[in-house]
Amino acid sequence: MIATILQKQCDVAIIGSGPAGISAAITLKKAGVDNIVVLERESEAGGIPRHCGHIAFGFKKYKRILTGLQYAKNNIEEALNLGINIQLNTTVTALGEGGKLSLVSQQGISELNAKRVLIATGTREKPRSARFVSGDRALGIYNTGALQGMVYLKQKIPFKRPLIVGTEIVSFSALLTCKKGGIKPVAMIEENPKPTVRWPIYYGAHLFGTPLFLETKINKIIGDQRVEAVILESAQGQKKSIECDGVLFTGQFTPESSLVRMSHIAFDSDTFSPSVNANGQCSDPAYYAAGNVRQLVPEKGRNAYFYTSDNPPNAVNISGMCWDQGGEVALNILESFSN
Amino acid sequence: MTKTYDIAIIGGGIVGCAVARRMTLAGAKVVLIEKSPDILAGASKGNSAILHTAFDAPEKSLELQCMQAGYAEYLDIHKSMNLPLLKTGALLAAWSPEEQAKFEGIMVKAANNGVADLKLLTTAQAQKKEPNLSNNLLAAIEVPREYVIDPWSAPLAYLTQAVENGADTLFNTEVIGGFFDDSKQEGLWLLETNNGQIKANHIVNCAGLYGDLLNKNVFGESDFEIRPRKGEFVVFDKAASKLLKNILLPIPTEITKGIVIFPTIFGNIAVGPTADEQESRADASVAKENLEMLYAFALDKIPALKHIPVTATYAGIRPATEKKHYRVKHDVKNNWVTLGGIRSTGITASLGLAQHVESLFNEQGIRFNKLASSRTPMMPNLAEHIERDWQKPGVEEIVCHCEMVTKREIKKALDGSTLPAGSMEGLKRRTRATMGRCQGFYCSARLAELTEGKFAESIAVKSDKKEGGS
C-alpha cells in the first residue's frame, strides 16, 4: 500500500526505495518485522534503476535480463505485495540522535521516531562544476542520471549531438540511453590510455558508431545560450574543436550522503560515506547504511575493490550488489533487536 | 500612438532595477529596457552578494556616498519586501607581517569613511571567533556590519515594486540608436530598438558592461571605456557553513579587493573572485586553473574545507573602466544620465545610486508627482536561515532535492509573479532549482517537463526522430 497518513514511530525506517532499501524492507518484513516504513522523496518508488530503461538488470535475482525499469517495478511490486509501507514524496530533512528523523511530505513537516534507521540513499555522478572543467556555463551540460530521467521517464531529450565524457559502466548506459532517445553522440572521450571498463565501451562505441578518443580531455566548453562546441586536448597538448550541442559527464560516482554529512553521525571524508562497522552500523547505533551510499561503485582512482579496468564488472552486479547488501544489513538490524 | 515615458532606463542589472524603483516611486512614468529575456543577465549575475559598509571605499567619493546610502536603504526596506539579511560581520585577515602593517591605514581610512566600529583582534581573539581558520593567521580587524544578502531577489524586488506601481518593462529589446528632439521645451528622446521606437523625455544609461558602447552609439563618443574584469568563484556544499561564520576579507591592494571567502545567504561557503581583465564583455567562462587556484586558496585559509565537496562554480564580469571610480554623469543638455563603471560595489551602492539619480533630476528642477500611495511586493524567500517554502503547509512536491525547491515555487516563478522568469537562468535565480550539489542530476527531467515551452531556450530540445520515445 502507498500510505497517506504519517506515523509517528516505527521499528525500522528505510531512507530510499532503490535496490538496497527495498531489499532490506523485504528481508525485514519476511522475518516478521511489521512496523517498517520506506521513505522515498520522489513521486515514484524504485530508485535509480527506474531511470534505466535499458538492460541489464536483475539477472542475479530474477534469472533473466530485465531493463532497470522492469527490475525496479518487480522489486516494488514484491514489497507492496508483502504489505510494506512506502511513503512517496517524503523527504528526510535531518537525521537526529537515536533514530529521530525530521520529515517533510504532503502532510507538512513531521517527526518520525524509528528504533532503527537504514540509510540507503544511493549515489550520483559528479557534476561538471565539481570537476573544474573550463568554459562556458551553457545549456546542454548534464550527467547520465539526468539524461536517463529525461529520456525514460519524460520522453524528452536535452541535446541531439553531445560529447560523452568518461568510459565507465554508466557511460555504456549513456550510449544506450542516447540510442533510445535518437541522440547521436559526436564522440566519447577518456583521459586515460584505456577505457575504465573495456568490453562494453569498445562494444558500445563500435555498435553505435561513436568515435572513442583515449588520452583526451576537455580543454574548454564553448556556447552562448546552449553548448556549441568543445575544445578537446590530447595528452600531448594538441587541441581540436569538435562541434556538439551538449556535454554528458558520466560516472565518477559520489555517494548521496549529505544528510549524513550534516548530521551527528561519523562520516568518512575520504569516501564521502557514513563510517560503518562490519555490520553496516553507523557511529550512532540506531543507524545503519547499505548500498551505493557506501561507495560500492568506486570513484575512479579510489581503492576500487569492486571492479577495475583489468577486472571488468558485469552491469547487473551493481544493483545486484546493493540488493545483497541491503538484505545482509537487514539481517544485522534484525539481530540487533534480539540483543 | 506610442506612450511617451518620463524616463527610459536602459539595462536591467541591479542598478537599472534600483533606479526603476526609485523613479517610479518618485512619480515618473518609467520604462526599463533590457536586451536579454530576463533581468541580471550581465554584470549582476555573478557577484559576492556582500553588503559592504564601505569602510575601505575611496574617501569622499561618490562610490562611498552611494554605498553608504544604499546600505542604509537596504537595511531600511528589506523587511518590508521580505528580503533576507545575514548579519555575518567580516574579518579582515592578515596572514603576513606585511599585511598586518597595513592595519593602521585601514583603521584610519575606515574612521574617515564614518565606519567607526572596526576592532583590532589578536590571533587568539580572531581564532576564537573563527576556530577553523588556519594557524597561519596573524591578526584580524573585525568589521561587524559587513553583511550578506540575496543578490538576485533584491534586484527582482526593486523592479517588481516598480512594475507593481506602474513601470513598464521591455525584454529582448536592444537600443540601437537614438535621436534627441530638443525643439520642444522638455526635450524628447526617440530611441530606436529592435522592437520599434520608444519615446522618453529622459534616459538613464544603466547598461553596465555596454554603457560606453551605448553612449558611443547615440552620441558618437563616450568619455569612459569599459574594461571588463572577470571574477570567478567556487562554491562549497552547505556542510561548509559550519566552518565559517564571518566574511573573510583579504587586505585589499591597489587593484582589487582581493579574494574573499564568504558565507552565502543560501547556506554555502564561496570563495572568489579572481580579477582578470579581458576584452570580451560577454565571456563569463570559467578556467580550470583559476578554479583550482581558488580552491587551494580556500583550503589554505580553512583547511577543513578539504572534506567538503564543491557544489558550483561561476563567473561574473565587472564593468570596470580605465579609471578607478564610478563614471556618473548627467548630460543636462541632452537629458541623459550615465551610470557607468559601477563595479563590484554596485550591489551595495545600487539603491544609493538610485537616490543619486533622483537628486540629479531634482537639482535641475525636474520633478514628478510623487505617488500618493505605493504597493510593496513581498518576495519569496530563498535564504537558508529563514523559513523556506518547503517548511510551510501545502507542499505538493519537492522538485529540486538539493536546494529543497517546491513545485509551488517553480510554478510561481514561471506564471504567478509580476516578473515571471524569462529564461532557465532566470528561473534558477528565482528558485535555486538545480543550483545545489547534484547540479540537476535528480531534477533536470522533472524541470524539463515543468518548463516545456516557457523559454526560447529550454532544457529539452526537439527530437529528430519521427515519433517520440516510448
Side-chain angles (χ1 to χ4, degrees):
Chain A
M1 60 168 186
I2 302 285
T4 52
I5 307 295
L6 281 189
Q7 55 201 99
K8 296 279 169 236
Q9 46 250 321
C10 65
D11 289 332
V12 185
I14 295 167
I15 309 173
S17 68
I22 287 299
S23 161
I26 288 172
T27 306
L28 287 164
K29 187 78 180 183
K30 283 181 174 166
V33 183
D34 274 328
N35 198 356
I36 306 169
V37 55
V38 180
L39 306 167
E40 172 54 55
R41 65 186 187 179
E42 298 284 343
S43 50
E44 272 179 66
I48 288 295
R50 189 175 59 94
H51 296 211
C52 305
H54 53 74
I55 56 166
F57 285 83
F59 186 73
K60 203 166 164 184
K61 179 167 156 54
Y62 296 106
K63 304 297 171 220
R64 58 200 173 94
I65 304 266
L66 302 176
T67 67
L69 219 62
Q70 290 164 325
Y71 173 72
K73 202 166 155 244
N74 287 2
N75 292 345
I76 297 305
E77 261 171 27
E78 186 180 351
L80 293 178
N81 288 340
L82 287 168
I84 291 168
N85 172 8
I86 304 175
Q87 301 212 144
L88 301 176
N89 290 311
T90 303
T91 304
V92 178
T93 56
L95 309 176
E97 281 177 37
K100 182 185 271 193
L101 302 178
S102 304
L103 309 180
V104 59
S105 67
Q106 289 170 336
Q107 281 73 45
I109 290 171
S110 62
E111 274 192 351
L112 173 64
N113 286 297
K115 288 180 189 151
R116 302 287 186 275
V117 177
L118 177 66
I119 302 162
T121 47
T123 187
R124 61 177 169 79
E125 295 158 287
K126 199 187 253 189
R128 176 260 179 104
S129 56
R131 302 178 190 220
F132 288 165
V133 175
S134 296
D136 293 317
R137 295 165 57 251
L139 268 173
I141 303 170
Y142 299 98
N143 287 121
T144 317
L147 173 70
Q148 290 173 326
M150 280 186 243
V151 171
Y152 292 117
L153 301 181
K154 308 294 180 192
Q155 288 78 49
K156 296 188 191 311
I157 56 169
F159 38 53
K160 290 188 265 189
R161 304 267 296 149
L163 174 77
I164 299 182
V165 182
T167 57
E168 300 181 32
I169 273 289
V170 68
S171 322
F172 179 63
S173 300
L175 284 172
L176 293 170
T177 309
C178 284
K179 171 87 175 141
K180 177 72 183 177
I183 298 164
K184 294 193 177 67
V186 291
M188 186 174 223
I189 62 167
E190 167 60 50
E191 209 169 330
N192 294 307
K194 284 192 289 187
T196 310
V197 293
R198 234 175 300 165
W199 71 259
I201 292 301
Y202 283 130
Y203 170 73
H206 175 74
L207 188 69
F208 303 127
T210 304
L212 175 62
F213 302 140
L214 299 171
E215 296 187 280
T216 302
K217 61 183 181 183
I218 291 184
N219 175 269
K220 192 172 185 179
I221 298 173
I222 294 168
D224 179 17
Q225 298 290 313
R226 201 173 276 283
V227 174
E228 291 156 25
V230 169
I231 297 175
L232 299 177
E233 186 178 336
S234 74
Q236 291 74 38
Q238 284 169 324
K239 289 174 197 164
K240 72 168 176 184
S241 176
I242 184 165
E243 274 185 39
C244 56
D245 65 351
V247 183
L248 190 69
F249 287 96
T250 68
Q252 297 195 16
F253 280 92
T254 184
E256 176 68 356
S257 55
S258 308
L259 267 178
V260 183
R261 191 193 285 278
M262 299 293 274
S263 77
H264 63 292
I265 298 168
F267 189 75
D268 181 337
S269 40
D270 288 326
T271 61
F272 290 180
S273 302
S275 304
V276 290
N277 66 17
N279 292 331
Q281 191 176 32
C282 301
S283 62
D284 179 336
Y287 287 88
Y288 289 76
N292 273 329
V293 72
R294 282 169 58 181
Q295 189 81 359
L296 293 188
V297 178
E299 189 182 330
K300 201 166 63 178
R302 287 226 175 99
N303 184 19
Y305 74 91
F306 178 41
Y307 70 81
T308 64
S309 52
D310 295 323
N311 176 29
N314 189 334
V316 294
N317 281 353
I318 297 170
S319 50
M321 188 160 175
C322 290
W323 182 274
D324 289 351
Q325 195 177 58
E328 282 161 28
V329 174
L331 293 176
N332 295 334
I333 291 173
L334 193 65
E335 202 180 313
S336 77
F337 280 123
S338 56
N339 288 342
Chain B
M1 213 184 88
T2 53
K3 194 165 163 181
T4 300
Y5 293 97
D6 293 321
I7 302 172
I9 295 163
I10 304 172
I14 190 164
V15 175
C17 292
V19 173
R21 168 182 172 271
R22 164 68 51 172
M23 296 317 299
T24 300
L25 295 179
K29 277 185 288 172
V30 168
V31 60
L32 182 138
I33 306 164
E34 167 57 47
K35 66 179 181 147
S36 298
D38 205 340
I39 59 168
L40 313 180
S44 300
K45 79 175 163 192
N47 57 57
S48 53
I50 297 172
L51 195 66
H52 287 293
T53 56
F55 73 92
D56 61 346
E59 289 172 50
K60 299 192 175 68
S61 63
L62 178 66
E63 184 174 6
L64 170 68
Q65 178 203 317
C66 290
M67 283 176 77
Q68 293 189 330
Y71 181 103
E73 188 172 353
Y74 186 85
L75 259 55
D76 199 36
I77 66 171
H78 78 96
K79 280 192 187 138
S80 70
M81 295 204 268
N82 198 35
L83 290 174
L85 180 70
L86 188 61
K87 294 191 170 185
T88 54
L91 294 185
L92 194 68
W95 305 90
S96 70
E98 294 75 36
E99 286 186 344
Q100 199 177 354
K102 291 188 177 169
F103 272 12
E104 200 187 327
I106 291 167
M107 298 288 282
V108 169
K109 189 175 190 180
N112 289 343
N113 284 354
V115 185
D117 55 353
L118 272 62
K119 220 164 74 187
L120 279 171
L121 302 183
T122 62
T123 319
Q125 286 169 326
Q127 278 172 342
K128 198 174 166 200
K129 279 201 175 291
E130 292 293 352
N132 294 300
L133 293 186
S134 141
N135 292 331
N136 297 329
L137 180 74
L138 280 188
I141 297 176
E142 186 184 11
V143 193
R145 291 179 299 112
E146 296 271 299
Y147 300 145
V148 167
I149 68 170
D150 176 342
W152 301 308
S153 294
L156 181 64
Y158 306 157
L159 190 58
T160 299
Q161 189 173 25
V163 171
E164 291 190 357
N165 289 288
D168 287 338
T169 54
L170 290 168
F171 290 105
N172 298 304
T173 303
E174 184 168 5
V175 175
I176 305 158
F179 170 74
F180 186 54
D181 178 359
D182 57 1
S183 63
K184 297 185 184 66
Q185 198 192 346
E186 205 179 347
L188 181 69
W189 274 99
L190 305 169
L191 293 176
E192 297 302 329
T193 80
N194 56 323
N195 283 327
Q197 200 176 58
I198 297 163
K199 292 184 199 168
N201 298 118
H202 299 270
I203 308 296
V204 185
N205 172 356
C206 301
L209 288 157
Y210 301 88
D212 57 340
L213 295 184
L214 175 63
N215 284 0
K216 264 187 203 161
N217 278 349
V218 174
F219 298 107
E221 58 178 5
S222 167
D223 57 5
F224 66 101
E225 187 191 329
I226 292 292
R227 301 262 174 92
R229 189 182 294 156
K230 189 184 335 194
E232 288 161 74
F233 296 84
V234 170
V235 184
F236 288 87
D237 198 8
K238 292 182 198 256
S241 63
K242 292 184 218 164
L243 302 175
L244 185 72
K245 296 295 164 214
N246 288 262
I247 301 160
L248 193 65
L249 297 170
I251 308 297
T253 67
E254 277 296 293
I255 305 157
T256 162
K257 289 175 97 73
I259 299 172
V260 186
I261 308 177
F262 54 97
T264 74
I265 203 97
F266 313 113
N268 302 81
I269 297 291
V271 56
T274 51
D276 290 314
E277 287 212 4
Q278 62 180 31
E279 286 285 313
S280 170
R281 297 158 194 258
D283 176 7
S285 62
V286 292
K288 186 182 178 70
E289 58 274 18
N290 291 342
L291 300 176
E292 282 169 350
M293 181 277 289
L294 288 172
Y295 182 78
F297 179 92
L299 265 56
D300 182 55
K301 306 301 185 238
I302 308 176
L305 278 175
K306 81 164 183 236
H307 302 305
I308 310 287
V310 167
T311 290
T313 61
Y314 66 94
I317 310 172
R318 288 101 92 183
T321 68
E322 78 285 3
K323 291 194 182 146
K324 268 186 261 164
H325 52 83
Y326 286 0
R327 312 302 284 273
V328 172
K329 188 171 164 185
H330 190 181
D331 179 349
V332 175
K333 194 162 68 74
N334 287 311
N335 291 4
W336 187 281
V337 178
T338 299
L339 302 181
I342 314 300
R343 324 167 284 164
S344 55
T345 52
I347 191 162
T348 302
S350 57
L351 292 169
L353 279 158
Q355 291 179 25
H356 184 66
V357 169
E358 188 179 6
S359 70
L360 290 176
F361 282 125
N362 287 343
E363 279 166 25
Q364 298 304 320
I366 304 157
R367 288 180 196 280
F368 309 96
N369 296 322
K370 197 173 169 64
L371 295 187
S373 67
S374 61
R375 295 172 55 119
T376 304
M378 289 295 278
M379 302 307 289
N381 171 55
L382 300 175
E384 195 81 352
H385 66 292
I386 303 169
E387 188 182 53
R388 293 274 310 274
D389 188 60
W390 67 266
Q391 290 159 308
K392 295 175 183 166
V395 171
E396 195 186 332
E397 180 186 342
I398 290 169
V399 175
C400 166
H401 298 295
C402 300
E403 294 296 319
M404 298 293 280
V405 183
T406 66
K407 187 172 96 181
R408 184 167 60 187
E409 287 176 294
I410 288 167
K411 289 275 183 202
K412 189 170 181 194
L414 288 173
D415 301 315
S417 48
T418 303
L419 285 168
S423 64
M424 264 316 289
E425 287 296 309
L427 179 66
K428 285 158 76 169
R429 290 194 280 265
R430 279 171 183 74
T431 63
R432 298 204 48 72
T434 76
M435 292 180 102
R437 56 185 75 89
C438 91
Q439 296 278 300
F441 177 94
Y442 291 107
C443 72
S444 289
R446 184 73 176 114
L447 273 177
E449 186 175 52
L450 292 171
T451 59
E452 186 156 42
K454 299 285 181 191
F455 309 126
E457 288 287 347
S458 295
I459 294 177
V461 298
K462 227 171 126 57
S463 172
D464 291 336
K465 275 194 354 182
K466 293 277 186 308
E467 90 284 32
S470 57

